């Protein structure tokens, strides 16, 4: 089955740049979206169609792809960016699949 | 403003049933692809089910196929998830979300989530 892999955790110091990778065979042929999820809240879409930001999402969140890897980059990371981040793509049957999620810690 | 509001979560015994509802406002529900996503304790997001705008195309995750039924009433801007034969593995927060089609737009609007607890 089609699988998408993310690192379980990423740590960054305040003000630094955080990069969260998402890899899987087939990513090069599919769109990738990214979501932020904080406890007690609904997931928030950060990126769609690989690189686009929905209205209201700050420019310091950006998405990129290269081959079978997609990356979410957060510039100037702040304490309130601590959350779980999920990539999402589509499997060979064109259905939504999620990566396992990455817990971002701002230390 | 665009909103999705969910109803119907709660505590159910193993083998029991629950029906989740999701009411949309602020956008054209009848033209929208819709999905149910769940987040189980200690796990990641999982697509549970998807429906096309007309309800003609439907998808279920392998883990719920044959037990869950997705439906919609476009006249009432409502999405439903009938959950039967519930097991402890189904305990999760269930979100309705707009989207799920493979056009790359993803899931752009999410409900507040409904807690489903399965316990004897």
């Amino acid at each position: 089955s089609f699988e998408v892999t993310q690192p379980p955790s990423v740590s960054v110091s305040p003000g630094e740049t955080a990069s969260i990778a998402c890899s899987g065979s087939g990513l090069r042929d599919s769109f990738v979206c990214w979501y932020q999820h904080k406890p007690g809240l609904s997931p928030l879409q950060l990126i769609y169609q690989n690189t686009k930001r929905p209205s209201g999402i700050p420019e310091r969140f950006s998405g990129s792809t290269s081959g079978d890897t997609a990356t979410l980059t957060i510039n100037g990371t702040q304490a309130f960016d601590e959350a779980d981040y999920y990539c999402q793509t589509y499997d060979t049957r064109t259905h939504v699949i999620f990566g396992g999620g990455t817990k971002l810690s701002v230390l | 403003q665009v909103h999705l509001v969910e109803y119907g979560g709660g505590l159910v015994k193993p083998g029991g049933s629950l029906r989740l509802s999701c009411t949309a406002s602020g956008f054209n529900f009848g033209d929208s692809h819709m999905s149910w996503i769940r987040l189980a304790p200690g796990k990641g997001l999982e697509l549970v089910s998807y429906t096309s705008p007309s309800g003609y195309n439907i998808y279920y995750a392998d883990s719920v196929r044959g037990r869950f039924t997705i439906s919609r009433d476009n006249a009432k801007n409502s999405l439903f998830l009938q959950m039967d034969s519930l097991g402890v593995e189904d305990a999760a927060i269930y979100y309705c979300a707009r989207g799920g089609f493979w056009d790359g737009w993803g899931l752009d609007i999410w409900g507040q989530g409904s807690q489903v607890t399965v316990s004897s």
Side-chain angles (χ1 to χ4, degrees):
Chain A
S1 63
F2 187 71
E3 291 187 356
V4 179
T5 302
Q6 297 180 235
S9 62
V10 166
S11 296
V12 65
S13 298
E16 292 190 344
T17 297
S19 295
I20 300 173
C22 171
S23 61
S25 60
L27 278 187
R28 67 179 67 234
D29 298 320
S30 186
F31 286 117
V32 176
C33 304
W34 290 92
Y35 304 88
Q36 177 192 67
H37 186 227
K38 296 181 179 180
L41 299 180
S42 303
L44 173 69
Q45 187 183 53
L46 299 174
I47 300 290
Y48 68 98
Q49 291 181 346
N50 300 338
T51 61
K52 299 176 181 178
R53 277 187 311 276
S55 174
I57 300 301
E59 290 184 7
R60 58 195 191 84
F61 290 94
S62 62
S64 63
T65 60
S66 177
D68 285 335
T69 299
T71 302
L72 174 70
T73 301
I74 309 172
N75 291 314
T77 308
Q78 303 299 319
F80 54 79
D81 294 326
E82 282 204 339
D84 293 326
Y85 291 84
Y86 293 89
C87 65
Q88 174 251 303
T89 187
Y90 303 86
D91 67 15
T92 54
R93 296 173 294 171
T94 68
H95 301 122
V96 162
I97 58 171
F98 292 95
T102 298
K103 184 176 185 62
L104 177 67
S105 298
V106 183
L107 304 174
Chain B
Q1 276 209 348
V2 294
H3 274 303
L4 291 170
V5 180
E6 303 169 28
Y7 307 90
L11 172 64
V12 63
K13 289 182 169 56
S17 297
L18 273 179
R19 179 176 170 88
L20 302 181
S21 301
C22 171
T23 301
S25 60
F27 65 95
N28 191 338
F29 178 81
D31 285 344
S32 299
H33 301 267
M34 298 296 297
S35 298
W36 287 99
I37 313 293
R38 70 184 178 185
L39 181 65
K43 297 193 176 181
L45 295 172
E46 178 189 18
L47 174 69
V48 173
S49 185
Y50 155 85
T51 175
S52 61
S54 67
Y56 182 78
N57 290 309
I58 284 175
Y59 168 79
Y60 297 102
D62 290 344
S63 56
V64 306
R65 187 174 294 118
R67 301 186 298 120
F68 289 14
T69 303
I70 191 171
S71 61
R72 62 191 298 162
D73 184 340
N74 288 345
K76 295 183 178 179
N77 292 336
S78 295
L79 179 73
F80 306 100
L81 186 68
Q82 177 66 39
M83 303 184 292
D84 298 321
S85 302
L86 283 161
V88 294
E89 69 278 8
D90 297 312
I93 301 172
Y94 285 73
Y95 299 97
C96 65
R98 183 174 77 170
F101 189 59
W102 57 277
D103 55 6
W105 286 85
L107 302 148
D108 63 344
I109 304 169
W110 295 66
Q112 83 281 8
S114 285
Q115 180 73 54
V116 172
T117 303
V118 184
S119 174
S120 54

